[in-house]
Amino acid sequence: MKVLYCGDVVGQTGRRVIIERIPELRERLDLDFVIVNGENSAHGFGITDKICEAFYDVGVDAITTGNHVWDQREIMNYIGGEPRLLRPLNYPEGTPGRGVNTFTVAGGRTLMLIHPMGRLFMDPLDDPFAGVQMALLNHRLGKTVDCIVVDIHAEATSEKMGMGHAFDGKVSMVVGSHVHIPTADAQILPGGTAYQTDAGMCGDYDSVIGMEKTTAVARFVQKLPTGRLEPAKGEATLCGVYLETDEDTGLARHVAPLRVGGRLAEQWPV
Ligand SMILES: [Fe+2]
Ligand SMILES: [Fe+2]
């Protein structure tokens, strides 16, 4: 199976690069499934039903989120009836929506998407490792499901690497989101799971993690209250991770970063 995971979409410029490039990428890379992290797609804060629909229309199959999932409160009413939109798995019981779902892909194959959120330097939540383990309880990669992707939304690189190794051999890929900067560690772990600590964002890199740099820098320099952070408006780079799995085992055959558009050097999976 050929899967593309795109990191946190930030603001209008991030939405634009997704909407403009996904149809072309689907075709050029012969993709079976496209996942986008949309937690910052609504002007940097959260996501709306309209944005979800715009992403589905261009060929996005599933959307993950993160700590910003509830920034646009209307999404609380939408998420329960929208199986393609995931919120982090390890929120308290009774939280609207779901953090795991299984999708049918062309040819009757199945892809399971699991979306834990880390706890280091983030709000306290239930144990993300136990959450993933629970989600996998009745599923076996290559037996009951053809591909399993874990989007670990976390601040700490250590917690993300821990997640990769904890489920190495049990899932097709563990990929990180939230940091908004792509890491250079794409690899297949010893057990066969593809891994990259963070996919990076789909946004303008002439910014501070996607937000307009003047206000963001002033917050560090002056330590005085500033206006609200606004998303940067320059041309976005689409940052993603491409995964190809073995059709029999579901483990990774190839993993590589993808970067197109904007300021970062272009990179295509070989
Ligand atoms: Fe984010
Ligand atoms: Fe986040």
Side-chain angles (χ1 to χ4, degrees):
M1 201 179 293
K2 292 171 183 162
V3 178
L4 178 67
Y5 174 90
C6 301
D8 306 39
V9 174
V10 183
Q12 189 182 40
T13 189
R15 297 200 304 271
R16 190 180 301 132
V17 78
I18 290 292
I19 286 162
E20 285 178 3
R21 303 305 289 262
I22 289 297
E24 165 204 342
L25 291 170
R26 269 205 91 110
E27 190 157 326
R28 185 161 167 182
L29 298 171
D30 191 27
L31 298 171
D32 295 298
F33 202 85
V34 175
I35 304 160
V36 167
N37 186 302
E39 73 150 358
N40 308 107
S41 54
H43 208 62
F45 300 93
I47 188 164
T48 64
D49 52 352
K50 268 175 80 174
I51 294 173
C52 292
E53 301 295 335
F55 287 169
Y56 301 142
D57 283 349
V58 295
V60 172
D61 297 292
I63 301 169
T64 54
T65 52
N67 52 307
H68 286 291
V69 60
W70 311 124
D71 287 358
Q72 306 294 324
R73 292 188 172 199
E74 64 189 73
I75 209 70
M76 285 192 279
N77 301 319
Y78 175 76
I79 199 167
E82 182 38 72
R84 293 171 289 184
L85 176 64
L86 301 193
R87 46 88 172 154
L89 175 78
N90 42 328
Y91 274 128
E93 239 181 87
T95 303
R98 72 207 79 201
V100 54
N101 203 7
T102 304
F103 302 84
T104 305
V105 183
R109 296 167 296 168
T110 50
L111 180 145
M112 187 181 187
L113 181 57
I114 309 177
H115 187 28
M117 186 148 73
R119 296 189 292 187
L120 285 178
F121 316 116
M122 299 187 82
D123 276 354
L125 282 179
D126 294 346
D127 180 353
F129 292 85
V132 174
Q133 200 151 21
M134 186 78 96
L136 290 172
L137 212 55
N138 297 313
H139 297 278
R140 290 286 172 278
L141 184 63
K143 302 261 192 300
T144 64
V145 60
D146 297 297
C147 180
I148 304 176
V149 174
V150 176
D151 171 358
I152 165 80
H153 195 80
E155 186 75 46
T157 48
S158 57
E159 194 173 19
K160 288 155 131 170
M161 287 198 97
M163 182 65 68
H165 287 296
F167 296 99
D168 183 18
K170 297 193 174 72
V171 303
S172 311
M173 174 162 77
V174 172
V175 60
S177 56
H178 177 72
V179 167
H180 292 202
I181 303 294
T183 58
D185 59 341
Q187 60 177 307
I188 297 176
L189 299 175
T193 295
Y195 177 80
Q196 186 171 318
T197 297
D198 205 286
M201 68 171 168
C202 299
D204 175 11
Y205 277 82
D206 181 18
S207 68
V208 175
I209 61 168
M211 305 312 270
E212 198 281 311
K213 61 190 179 186
T214 311
T215 313
V217 171
R219 284 191 176 190
F220 288 110
V221 175
Q222 296 162 357
K223 303 308 289 180
L224 286 168
T226 61
R228 189 178 156 94
L229 288 170
E230 297 282 329
K233 292 188 172 69
E235 190 190 337
T237 304
L238 183 153
C239 283
V241 179
Y242 170 82
L243 164 74
E244 207 177 312
T245 62
D246 183 278
E247 293 293 340
D248 292 325
T249 64
L251 292 169
R253 275 214 318 234
H254 184 55
V255 62
L258 169 82
R259 287 193 288 274
V260 287
R263 303 176 65 80
L264 300 193
E266 189 152 310
Q267 180 149 1
W268 287 84
V270 181

